[in-house]
Each structure stands twice: as C-alpha cells, then as structure tokens.
Amino acid sequence: MRRREPERRRRERGRPRLPLRRSLLGRLLIVSVLVASCAVAATAWLAVQTTSGAIRQEQGQDLSSDAKIYNTLLGYAATHPRWEDVEDTARELARTSQRRIVLTTEDRRPLFDSAGASSVAPLPAQASAVVDPLSVDTVLVPDAMTAGSDRIDPRAVGPFLLPANERTELRGITEKQVACLNSVGVAADVVDGPSGRPRIEFVRGDTDRDLEFKCVAQNSGATLTEKKALDELNTLADACLKRQGHKGATLNLDLSWDRGYGQITAAEKQPAAKQSAEKYPTEKKAAAAVERGDDRAIASCVGSARREQLTDHVAAPALLFIDGTGAVSVPGFDLSPSNTARIVGVTALVLALTVGVSVIAGARLVRPLHALTGAAQRMRDGLDSAPVPVGPDNEIGRLAAAFNDMAVHRARLEEQRKVMVSDVAHELRTPLSNIRGWLEAAQDGLADPDPAFVSSLLEEAVQLQHIIDDLQDLGAADAGALRLHPEPVYADELLGQVAAAYQGPAETAGVTLTVAAPKPGPPGPALYADPVRLRQAVSNLVSNAVRHTPSGGRVSLRSYRTGPGHGDEVALEVSDTGAGIPADDIPHVFDRFWRAEKSRNRSTGGSGLGLAIVLKLAEAQGGTASVVSTEGKGSVFTLRLPAAPAPAEAPANATAAEAAAGPDGPDPINMTL
C-alpha cells in the first residue's frame, strides 16, 4: 500500500480542479450575489413605491367614497318622486366624505351644491355618474345592492309599496311560519323587502325541504295593493307584446310569467327549452325557436312596462359631480444626486457583506465535503481510509458519521469475505485431498479397491457433497431465492420424526436421545412453517448436539408456546449435557465456518455451516434462533417460529394441517424469500 500512495497522489495532482462556476462554493457565491442584488433592488423599489402606494390607497378610499355617495343618492331617487328634499342627505354625504357634491338635471340645471350657491368653481365637462334608478350603473353599485338584469334598482317599487295594514297582516303570517321552522330546528328570520313585504331568510343554507314545505305551506298571496299594481304592470306588458305581434303573458308577483308550463322566467326557461330540443331535435326545433323568441320579447316588454310604471314614482335622472380637489395626484419620482449616491453606497455595502459572509460559509461548507471526497477516493483505490472528522450535528456532520459507519462496515465485510473464502477453500481441500490421495495410491498399486477403499472414498464424497449443499442453501437464503411452502405443523410430531431419524447415531455414540412426552388431550402446539426446511433446521441442531455430547450424555427435545398469552410463538428446544460453549464464543456460534476447535482436526466432524443454516432457515420463516450455554454443563438451542392460528374445533385424530386449516380446508402459500 505504501508503494501505491505516491501514485495516487500523482493522479490527484494531475486531476483538473472543478471550475468555480461548477463548484459548490461558486454556486453558493452566485446565489448569494443574486439574492443580495434582488434584496437591494426590492428595497429600492419599496422605497420608491411607498409614497405612490399610500397615494393609491387614498385614491382607493376616494373611489369607495364615490361609490357610497352614488348608491345613497340612487336609493333616494328610487324612493322619492322628486329631488326637492335631497339637500339633507347630500349635505351629510359631503360632510362625511369631505368632498364637494353637485347634483344637476340632465340639462345641467343645478339641484344641489354642497359648496353653496355662492360657489363659482366650474363643473367638470363630464359628470362622475348619472343617478337614474331605472338605469343603474352596475360598476358603482355594491354587490349587496346590484340591480337585476333590467338594471332597475330593486329599491324602486312604486305602486307595489305596501300600506301599514297590509304589512302588519303579512308580517303576522310570516312570523308564524318562522316560529314553525324554528320549532323543528330550522334557523330562520323575518326580513322586510323594499316594498315592505316580509320574507323568510334562512340562517343556514342547507334546510330540510319537507320541514320547510310543511311550515310555509300557507301562501299569503298577493295583497290588494300588489294585485292592483300587478294588473297595471300586466296591462302595460301585454300592450307592448301586442304591438310586437306576440301573445300576452300572465305575470306573477315575482315578475315571472305563466305560459302553460308553470311559473318560469326567461333565464330559467331557455335551458329547459334547449334540453327539450336536444332530446327531440326534429319535432321541437321550430317550437323551441318560437318559444325562445317569445321569452325574449316578454322579458323586454316586462322591463319596459316596469320603467313606464315607475316613471311617476322615482326621481328624474340627475347628473352627479364629485369634485376631485381633495384627491392627490401621483407625482413623478425624481432621484437627486445625493439620493442616488446613497442608494449606490448602500447597495455596494450590502453586496460586499453578502459576498464576505458567503465566502466564509461556503468554505466551512466545502471543507468537510472535500474530506469526504478524498476518503471515498482512497476507499476506491483500496487504501485504508482514516475516519472523516465529524463536525457539528447538521446535515454534513450526519453525512460524515454515516460515511464512517459505512467504511467500518465495508472493512468488516471485506474481512469476513476473506475469512470465508479461506474457510471454503480449506473445507473443500480436505475431502478433495483425501479422495486424490486414495485414487493415486490405487493407481500406483499401493491400495486395493476393496469395499473399505470404496467406502472411504464414498464417505469423503458425501462430506464434500454436504459442504456444497450447505453452501448452496446459504447462498439461496442470502439471495432471497429460498422457496418455502409453509403449512400448519405440529411441533411434537416433527420432533418425534427427527428423534426417530437420529436414534441410531445417538445409540452408536452412547447418547440418550429423548423427546418430551406430549400432554394428554388436544394435539400439542402447532406452528406455521415449511415442514421440510424446519425438519432440516432441527436435524442440524440434533446432529450438532449428538456430536458434542460425550458417551453417557443426554440430548432432549421439547416444544412449548411462548409470547403474550402463550399463543404468539412456538419454541422448539434442543438441549444437551455436553461440554458447553465458552462465554466468549457464544456470539459466534451461528457464524459460517466457525467451530470451537481452532485446530480443525475434525474430532467432532462437521463443516461449521450447520448452525449458520439453522439461523437462516429460522429467519426466512419469520422466526429466530438462540443459544444458552454453560461451559461444562451443556447447551440449549431454541428455535422460535410463529404459531399457527388456533382452529375453532378439530377432531381428536386430525392431522396438523387439517386441524389448523379449519373447516374450509388448508390455505397453501408459496413464497420466495
């Protein structure tokens, strides 16, 4: 590694540095300058716009005041037939708005001037607005008082204005309806309309239509005053329609009309006619066209009739002049040389401070990144990388800490890889060397190919095959390609099968192999696992226990439930009375190719893969493997796997799969890990 260090340094010196515009520091400087420039420009713009903003705000207030003046005078004209008594109203408006208000007739004869008769100030060439309740300027009217489509002020009711006795009668009926609605939980109130007719206003938008219909079923109908005014309006509208060659229409109190298909206005009828025409295009096309023409004619004549009817009840149109002497015009903003120099100086100072702070912050930000880059390059070149200094607890500090952890983990994995390659080579070399030696001896005539000779070769080949199979299982588990077929399995049955298979080797070794007798009653604990793979794991534990238990010792197998309520997991326990495992070796017993005998003299046999396979098979099926051992007394290996769901009811002689599957049969699952 020392010989490679100068070469690495030469490569780093030969590598071109990043240009400033592409480096993190350069980008940070560019962003900082842009932000500072925008901040200075925004400050200057704000300083310039402050005065004009205040002026625009004042002008907006003037516009709002103009709209209020117009609306107030429009309401006066809608409820008075003449302008004679407008002086008090107009003077109060002039006082509150601090504006000069002038009203004239359309031929500019003065009606009112808040400046007094002695004022000689000329009027503008164009009036601010025309106050005409029969032709409202909808731009100046607030939303709450917006006129209808005919632009007639809704406050202009004329002959529809109800006398006191009719108002009292209608209000009594309406208050009873509101009381009925309130009693059934519908919030409503009584509101008087412009004509004095009370109406129901619901406090909430969503109402129960059935309850509403029940309480307002009693319709007060039109009063005598309203009938008289409505007849007069109907006569005027029919005369207009007759002049245009259309049939008359019966108007309702809400100014809708009835032509044989219910009360409907023109705005409501046109969509209905359109839908009918779309449904019956051939039969209804001509009729719909005529109907639309009639509706437009009726709407036009109703508007004309209303204006004719209201002419004697509202004031004549008047010109409104609102003097603009109180308004402030927006002056041009001219910077003096001193102000210009001041702004330029402040801008330069802000830019200098921003660049200085950005350089300091950028250098502190880039320094640990350079350290990380160098460490990563050394790791790529296969050199030992010293830990990167971890700064404060921020994003870069956490990145450095994660990089150090990754480097340590990588070094540990690399060391494990080297050890594993060495172990695999050693384990495969031993049986291959034995096979080669026997075959060479037979070839040279030093050994006879008798049954003992063939048996020895077969034993070495089987040992080699076991190692290869174990490595294949571990590789499949590591790659997530180990196929499992889980199903309900009774733990006691599986332990009995394994014990029966290893009874012969145990007797040969002089070891007593027993299985804890199941309790009388229902079958023992059932777990959900692949029976073949589970039997392989338990067999590895039993084989390992028999090999490490001296003659006269004992190996015991048992199963039991564990976890909260003793129903979450099933434990399979293999205990022995062997020599036990030293405390320092317990963390490594499940490592691959690890064996307590460092000399590898195979006094106990095995390749060092059995317990690693046990751990992988347990984890692949959602379980765990653990060991508790006392040196000189023995060891206890435990597998914990998920318990199978308890069946509602199972026959006494049912198998594990039938009992756990329930009445609907088994539910096989194939999973790839």
Side-chain angles (χ1 to χ4, degrees):
M1 290 186 181
R2 291 182 179 179
R3 290 196 299 271
R4 295 178 60 188
E5 182 68 17
E7 181 182 354
R8 182 186 62 81
R9 291 181 177 177
R10 287 195 299 271
R11 288 203 306 270
E12 290 184 354
R13 287 196 298 268
R15 185 183 295 112
R17 296 178 62 86
L18 285 174
L20 184 62
R21 60 183 178 82
R22 294 179 56 189
S23 65
L24 183 61
L25 178 60
R27 294 180 181 181
L28 181 62
L29 289 176
I30 293 174
V31 171
S32 300
V33 171
L34 290 177
V35 171
S37 302
C38 293
V40 171
T43 303
W45 177 84
L46 182 62
V48 172
Q49 295 296 323
T50 300
T51 303
S52 59
I55 294 174
R56 284 194 296 270
Q57 183 178 5
E58 184 175 350
Q59 287 182 332
Q61 294 174 353
D62 291 342
L63 291 175
S64 176
S65 176
D66 292 349
K68 180 180 179 181
I69 293 171
Y70 172 79
N71 184 58
T72 303
L73 294 177
L74 187 67
Y76 181 90
T79 55
H80 295 78
R82 287 175 294 277
W83 292 101
E84 295 176 354
D85 299 327
V86 76
E87 181 177 350
D88 294 339
T89 302
R91 195 174 301 281
E92 178 63 21
L93 290 173
R95 185 187 66 80
T96 56
S97 64
Q98 299 295 316
R99 311 288 293 281
R100 179 190 177 192
I101 299 176
V102 179
L103 279 173
T104 69
T105 60
E106 290 184 307
D107 56 0
R108 291 192 174 236
R109 286 187 295 107
L111 295 174
F112 170 79
D113 189 345
S114 62
S118 59
S119 176
V120 294
L123 295 176
Q126 186 175 0
S128 301
V130 178
V131 183
D132 184 4
L134 302 183
S135 181
V136 176
D137 186 350
T138 56
V139 176
L140 293 175
V141 174
D143 293 340
M145 297 297 294
T146 300
S149 59
D150 53 7
R151 296 179 60 191
I152 298 177
D153 193 296
R155 292 168 291 189
V157 295
F160 286 90
L161 184 65
L162 300 179
N165 60 335
E166 292 182 353
R167 293 187 184 189
T168 302
E169 181 182 356
L170 292 176
R171 190 171 186 86
I173 297 174
T174 308
E175 287 178 348
K176 291 181 180 179
Q177 295 173 345
V178 169
C180 176
L181 291 172
N182 292 335
S183 66
V184 295
V186 179
D189 201 357
V190 180
V191 178
D192 289 330
S195 66
R197 168 178 277 274
R199 60 182 176 84
I200 299 175
E201 183 177 83
F202 295 96
V203 177
R204 293 188 298 271
D206 297 334
T207 61
D208 190 329
R209 295 298 182 184
D210 294 337
L211 296 177
E212 178 184 346
F213 179 78
K214 177 182 177 182
C215 292
V216 301
Q218 180 184 0
N219 190 353
S220 58
T223 65
L224 293 177
T225 302
E226 291 171 336
K227 289 180 179 179
K228 181 179 179 181
L230 190 60
D231 291 342
E232 179 184 355
L233 180 62
N234 216 138
T235 301
L236 295 174
D238 287 346
C240 174
L241 291 171
K242 186 176 180 181
R243 289 193 298 270
Q244 297 181 14
H246 294 279
K247 296 181 180 180
T250 302
L251 298 180
N252 303 295
L253 190 58
D254 59 353
L255 300 185
S256 61
W257 54 87
D258 189 0
R259 295 181 56 82
Y261 39 76
Q263 298 179 2
I264 185 169
T265 62
E268 295 170 339
K269 183 184 294 186
Q270 289 177 5
K274 181 179 179 181
Q275 294 176 2
S276 178
E278 291 175 352
K279 187 173 181 181
Y280 306 104
T282 305
E283 297 81 354
K284 300 296 182 179
K285 187 174 181 181
V290 174
E291 186 176 332
R292 287 195 297 271
D294 290 345
D295 289 336
R296 286 193 293 268
I298 294 173
S300 176
C301 286
V302 169
S304 301
R306 288 191 65 200
R307 292 186 181 88
E308 183 177 355
Q309 186 184 40
L310 295 173
T311 300
D312 296 335
H313 299 274
V314 299
L319 302 181
L320 172 63
F321 297 89
I322 302 177
D323 195 355
T325 56
V328 181
S329 60
V330 180
F333 191 85
D334 188 14
L335 287 176
S336 62
S338 60
N339 288 334
T340 303
R342 186 179 297 109
I343 291 177
V344 172
V346 172
T347 302
L349 178 61
V350 171
L351 286 175
L353 291 176
T354 303
V355 172
V357 172
S358 299
V359 170
I360 296 174
R364 291 175 60 87
L365 179 65
V366 171
R367 189 181 301 114
L369 295 180
H370 285 167
L372 286 170
T373 302
Q377 290 173 346
R378 290 192 297 272
M379 186 181 297
R380 179 200 62 188
D381 296 337
L383 303 177
D384 292 336
S385 178
V388 178
V390 178
D393 186 17
N394 52 26
E395 289 81 357
I396 297 181
R398 294 181 180 181
L399 175 61
F403 181 86
N404 291 336
D405 293 341
M406 180 193 68
V408 172
H409 183 66
R410 177 183 176 275
R412 185 168 60 250
L413 290 179
E414 181 65 18
E415 184 64 25
Q416 292 177 354
R417 183 188 66 82
K418 293 178 180 179
V419 173
M420 181 176 178
V421 171
S422 176
D423 289 339
V424 170
H426 183 278
E427 295 297 335
L428 294 179
R429 184 185 299 115
T430 301
L432 286 176
S433 298
N434 292 337
I435 294 174
R436 178 181 177 182
W438 281 107
L439 291 177
E440 288 178 350
Q443 186 179 21
D444 295 339
L446 300 177
D448 296 330
D450 54 10
F453 174 83
V454 175
S455 177
S456 178
L457 291 181
L458 179 60
E459 181 180 352
E460 295 296 338
V462 169
Q463 178 66 19
L464 184 61
Q465 182 66 43
H466 284 170
I467 295 175
I468 295 175
D469 291 342
D470 290 345
L471 289 174
Q472 185 178 8
D473 289 342
L474 288 174
D478 290 338
L482 190 65
R483 295 196 59 83
L484 299 175
H485 303 278
E487 62 183 46
V489 179
Y490 278 131
D492 292 341
E493 293 180 358
L494 185 137
L495 294 181
Q497 295 171 2
V498 174
Y502 280 87
Q503 196 65 44
E507 292 177 355
T508 302
V511 176
T512 303
L513 179 59
T514 61
V515 179
K519 297 180 180 180
L527 48 84
Y528 203 64
D530 186 325
V532 176
R533 294 297 185 180
L534 182 58
R535 189 178 300 110
Q536 179 183 0
V538 177
S539 297
N540 285 356
L541 293 179
V542 173
S543 175
N544 188 70
V546 171
R547 286 199 310 270
H548 290 83
T549 301
S551 178
R554 185 182 186 88
V555 175
S556 301
L557 285 68
R558 73 184 184 105
S559 64
Y560 56 91
R561 287 189 180 274
T562 184
H566 301 285
D568 294 334
E569 292 180 334
V570 174
L572 304 180
E573 187 177 280
V574 178
S575 59
D576 61 66
T577 58
I581 304 172
D584 295 339
D585 293 338
I586 289 180
H588 305 287
V589 295
F590 291 104
D591 293 346
R592 301 177 186 185
F593 295 106
W594 182 90
R595 290 183 300 190
E597 299 180 50
K598 308 302 180 184
S599 62
R600 299 178 181 272
N601 58 8
R602 294 183 179 274
S603 63
T604 58
S607 63
L609 295 175
L611 294 181
I613 292 177
V614 169
L615 178 62
K616 284 294 183 180
L617 292 178
E619 292 177 347
Q621 300 183 82
T624 59
S626 60
V627 59
V628 176
S629 182
T630 303
E631 191 172 4
K633 294 184 179 181
S635 305
V636 178
F637 287 84
T638 306
L639 295 178
R640 288 181 172 84
L641 296 169
E649 183 177 357
N653 58 352
T655 63
E658 294 171 347
D664 295 331
D667 184 15
I669 298 176
N670 293 332
M671 60 176 69
T672 301
L673 301 179

